[in-house]
């Protein structure tokens, strides 16, 4: 699994976790903590992808060849 695939998968998983915990946000402490952690993970992945887009594309192309 390449770095680009891992980061994208992590971002998608955190988005799914956010969607799953939004119903209990501020109602249950565990759901609120999971939502905040998922949101932070999603944000960090987004920032990393935008800053390193060229590098991730190059690595992804090398792994596909």
């Amino acid at each position: 699994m390449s770095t680009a695939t891992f980061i994208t998968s992590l971002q998608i998983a955190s988005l799914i976790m956010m969607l799953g915990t939004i119903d209990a946000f501020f109602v249950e402490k565990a759901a609120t903590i999971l939502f905040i952690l998922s949101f932070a993970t999603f944000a960090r992945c987004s920032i990393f992808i935008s800053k390193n887009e060229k590098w991730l594309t190059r690595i992804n192309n090398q792994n596909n060849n």
Side-chain angles (χ1 to χ4, degrees), residues 33-60:
I33 292 169
L34 279 175
F35 180 85
I36 291 169
L37 289 174
S38 298
F39 182 78
T41 303
F42 185 83
R44 294 271 303 191
C45 289
S46 296
I47 292 168
F48 183 82
I49 289 170
S50 66
K51 283 186 177 181
N52 299 302
E53 183 179 356
K54 291 179 183 178
W55 177 71
L56 289 169
T57 304
R58 190 171 3 125
I59 287 176
N60 197 30

